[in-house]
Amino acid sequence: MEFLSTRGKERVTGAQAIVKGLAEDGGLFVPARFPAVSAEELGSMLGMDYAERAALVLSKYLDEYDPNELLAALRAAYSRFEGGDAAPLVRVENGMYMLELFHGPTCAFKDMALTVLPYLLKKGCELTGVKEKVLVLVATSGDTGKAALEGFKNAGGVKIMTFYPDEGVSKMQKLQMCTTEGENVNVVAVNGNFDDCQTGVKKIFNSPECKAALKEKGYLLSSANSINFGRLAPQIAYYFSAYCDLVSSEQIQLGDKVDFAVPTGNFGNILAAYYAKQMGLPVGKLVCASNRNNVLTDFCKCGIYDCKRPFFKTMSPSMDILVSSNLERLIFELSGRDAALTAERMQALSAKGKYSVRAEELKTMQESFYAACAGENETVECIYEFFEEYGYPMDTHTGVAMYAAQQYVAEVEEDPDGEPHPMVVVSTASPYKFPQDVLYALTGNDVKDSFKGIKRINLLTAMKVPESLKEIRYKPLRFKKVISVKNMFHEVLEFLG
Ligand SMILES: *Cc1c(COP(=O)(O)O)cnc(C)c1O
């Protein structure tokens, strides 16, 4: 299948899209069309395991990858997940389900794609005849960084470097990243917020001088951020898989619509759900959940994207984002795939921090999306009440999604024309990944030490503690450097030596 840039005429193969990460014109790569999954194919997925379902979805986009090899790579990636099922669906009450995406090596949903991306990238280099080594640059609000580091550590022909906002990630996230093993990894804190890190990385990507300097050292730049289609593709699969699990367990019949609530930051996860819908998955509404940084809520309500506003640090740091990169892919679809208009809007966004869409585009968006946001207190209360009622502990990001899902369900129930569907809340992190905030939500108690928090949550909930989080307690801190935004590229060059 061919891929196009959202901002211009560039056309590439899937392998090229993955190797390049970002188009030359600054746009994001999108598939030339959405491949369909027919009702029969969906039915045939019922009998498959997770890796097989994912292989079916991915091979529709990445047809130049050998399907057997792809399946083997997916099997290997998902065999690293604890508990046997990479994306289990848990029923908590009638009509309400949790899609648990946190059983991977770093306990957040980023593992669903980042355990697979190294294969997609390596094979992509082979398919496109790339001879250089690859430098993967990552800007992270906490979870992507660690998942990418784990995915790429010790991979041949690749170096990976992660930038995170010094004050903008949780203690556990920092500890996870800074204890990563492997000779080809580097982790650097930046004085600034996530948007500063992301802008810094994008600048390197868009600078011909930087690229030339890297080429001289024998490196090609690629991205593990969700702007890379190789991140997006594996995420589409779990929406299909969740749907199949609902049919298999006789919660719904094949063809019934299902709603999904997704805790949203960079708009990658929920965009994958939208892609699944475009491919034919019977999806009703997608609930776009934000924390106090509610740019997307306002956008979905009034059609104006305005990121000129205060930035809040919250207990759901992976959603503390004002510029959601992947929204560009949705804007492109809403505009009827008008690349010039998309480029114009993205120009306005970087120049003035603002753009708007037409009334009919907004209407199209609202047909698929509903948006709501949760403040800190609302999130805490939601986590507490849900645990009281169902004995199910959620992490802070998932708490935001649950709050938004409840808002949506309440509105549908009040609306005489409302269409209630089963609701799947996408659970993006283990509660143990944010132990202090989760313990506070569950008990009102503050603890300073993350591991004490883990122990208390375990006593309270009896939920199993992931092995990977237990281990890092005893690992040495390898990375301690804090730099300013303007020194990011300098740091890259130093790392490459
Ligand atoms: C990254 C992340 C999110 C946000 O996902 P996007 O794809 O950036 O919208 C939500 N929750 C957790 C735990 C995350 O790590």
Side-chain angles (χ1 to χ4, degrees):
M1 166 159 319
E2 269 195 322
F3 286 75
L4 340 160
S5 164
T6 49
R7 296 192 199 176
K9 299 247 173 329
E10 192 172 347
R11 278 180 173 263
V12 297
T13 64
Q16 283 171 322
I18 290 169
V19 173
K20 289 182 124 182
L22 201 65
E24 305 276 344
D25 52 25
L28 308 190
F29 288 117
V30 292
R33 60 182 174 79
F34 289 106
V37 172
S38 66
E40 293 78 61
E41 269 179 306
L42 193 54
S44 77
M45 284 168 89
L46 296 178
M48 298 180 181
D49 66 17
Y50 188 78
E52 288 167 332
R53 289 172 180 172
L56 190 147
V57 172
L58 262 76
S59 59
K60 289 198 175 270
Y61 289 99
L62 304 174
D63 44 12
E64 76 252 64
Y65 286 70
D66 177 75
N68 293 325
E69 202 183 283
L70 182 62
L71 176 60
L74 288 162
R75 263 202 206 301
Y78 295 130
S79 70
R80 295 174 64 192
F81 284 55
E82 277 188 42
D85 185 353
L89 189 75
V90 177
R91 181 176 149 182
V92 282
E93 64 169 310
N94 253 344
M96 176 79 89
Y97 307 83
M98 311 297 297
L99 175 58
E100 294 185 349
L101 302 178
F102 55 75
H103 297 288
T106 75
C107 309
F109 91 96
K110 307 292 196 298
D111 290 325
M112 299 301 297
L114 281 161
T115 50
V116 182
L117 187 63
Y119 163 75
L120 296 178
L121 189 61
K122 184 161 174 276
K123 190 72 194 171
C125 285
E126 254 175 73
L127 289 167
T128 52
V130 165
K131 297 280 184 301
E132 291 101 334
K133 286 173 279 185
V134 176
L135 172 67
V136 176
L137 285 189
V138 186
T140 184
S141 54
D143 290 335
T144 299
K146 179 59 179 178
L149 290 163
E150 275 304 304
F152 282 101
K153 76 176 183 197
N154 298 325
V158 181
K159 282 199 175 191
I160 173 161
M161 184 152 180
T162 293
F163 296 100
Y164 70 91
D166 190 33
E167 304 281 319
V169 302
S170 80
K171 278 188 191 169
M172 186 57 89
Q173 287 176 320
K174 198 180 244 187
L175 206 56
Q176 276 187 307
M177 285 190 280
C178 295
T179 55
T180 306
E181 290 155 356
E183 286 316 305
N184 62 336
V185 304
N186 193 12
V187 180
V188 181
V190 174
N191 259 320
N193 61 34
F194 170 69
D195 289 309
D196 297 324
C197 292
Q198 179 157 263
T199 308
V201 166
K202 274 195 185 163
K203 263 199 189 132
I204 297 175
F205 266 89
N206 291 329
S207 152
E209 295 84 46
C210 291
K211 278 192 182 157
L214 292 175
K215 194 153 188 161
E216 200 149 289
K217 289 184 179 283
Y219 281 91
L220 191 87
L221 208 50
S222 192
S223 164
N225 277 105
S226 56
I227 51 172
N228 192 321
F229 187 77
R231 274 283 303 279
L232 207 49
Q235 294 176 182
I236 303 169
Y238 47 72
Y239 290 100
F240 279 93
S241 182
Y243 189 91
C244 290
D245 286 349
L246 284 171
V247 176
S248 291
S249 58
E250 297 179 352
Q251 304 294 306
I252 60 168
Q253 290 190 335
L254 200 62
D256 291 352
K257 283 187 179 165
V258 173
D259 299 330
F260 290 94
V262 187
T264 297
N266 227 349
F267 210 75
N269 197 353
I270 198 165
L271 185 79
Y274 178 75
Y275 274 32
K277 184 175 183 179
Q278 300 306 102
M279 293 170 77
L281 189 70
V283 173
K285 271 293 193 257
L286 297 173
V287 177
C288 175
S290 297
N291 62 27
R292 269 185 94 188
N293 296 295
N294 57 357
V295 190
L296 288 167
T297 317
D298 292 347
F299 178 62
C300 193
K301 296 238 149 93
C302 66
I304 300 168
Y305 195 91
D306 184 358
C307 65
K308 284 271 179 290
R309 59 174 78 201
F311 176 90
F312 299 111
K313 278 202 301 176
T314 73
M315 61 177 77
S316 43
S318 298
M319 299 160 71
D320 290 346
I321 293 176
L322 296 180
V323 183
S324 300
S325 300
N326 270 296
L327 190 64
E328 179 168 346
R329 287 185 165 111
L330 180 68
I331 299 303
F332 178 72
E333 299 302 333
L334 294 176
S335 72
R337 302 203 140 201
D338 186 334
L341 185 56
T342 306
E344 208 176 279
R345 285 170 174 165
M346 293 304 125
Q347 210 62 50
L349 181 64
S350 70
K352 300 186 219 106
K354 194 171 165 174
Y355 65 88
S356 55
V357 296
R358 295 184 299 252
E360 67 267 25
E361 293 171 279
L362 180 61
K363 191 162 161 277
T364 310
M365 178 171 178
Q366 288 169 344
E367 278 160 18
S368 290
F369 294 89
Y370 170 92
C373 56
E376 298 287 87
N377 289 339
E378 289 155 341
T379 307
V380 162
E381 257 167 51
C382 184
I383 294 172
Y384 172 77
E385 278 170 15
F386 206 76
F387 183 67
E388 282 289 290
E389 181 99 19
Y390 304 107
Y392 186 90
M394 288 179 285
D395 103 285
T396 44
H397 303 75
T398 309
V400 171
M402 179 58 76
Y403 180 83
Q406 290 171 346
Q407 297 283 108
Y408 175 69
V409 170
E411 262 185 45
V412 171
E413 279 171 359
E414 275 188 12
D415 180 356
D417 301 325
E419 253 192 283
H421 303 130
M423 171 65 78
V424 175
V425 175
V426 178
S427 183
T428 50
S430 160
Y432 290 114
K433 195 159 185 180
F434 302 91
Q436 281 122 319
D437 290 321
V438 171
L439 184 71
Y440 176 76
L442 295 177
T443 65
N445 291 331
D446 279 314
V447 282
K448 283 225 160 43
D449 180 73
S450 300
F451 296 99
K452 203 173 259 172
I454 287 181
K455 199 165 173 188
R456 297 251 185 102
I457 296 171
N458 181 242
L459 285 173
L460 192 68
T461 66
M463 187 185 189
K464 189 173 175 298
V465 183
E467 292 300 324
S468 59
L469 290 183
K470 280 193 214 160
E471 279 170 10
I472 50 171
R473 184 167 195 178
Y474 306 104
K475 288 191 175 166
L477 270 184
R478 294 182 63 204
F479 306 99
K480 293 175 185 161
K481 209 161 184 179
V482 185
I483 64 164
S484 67
V485 179
K486 65 177 196 310
N487 284 336
M488 283 168 68
F489 189 62
H490 175 80
E491 208 51 43
V492 170
L493 290 179
E494 200 154 278
F495 173 51
L496 298 181

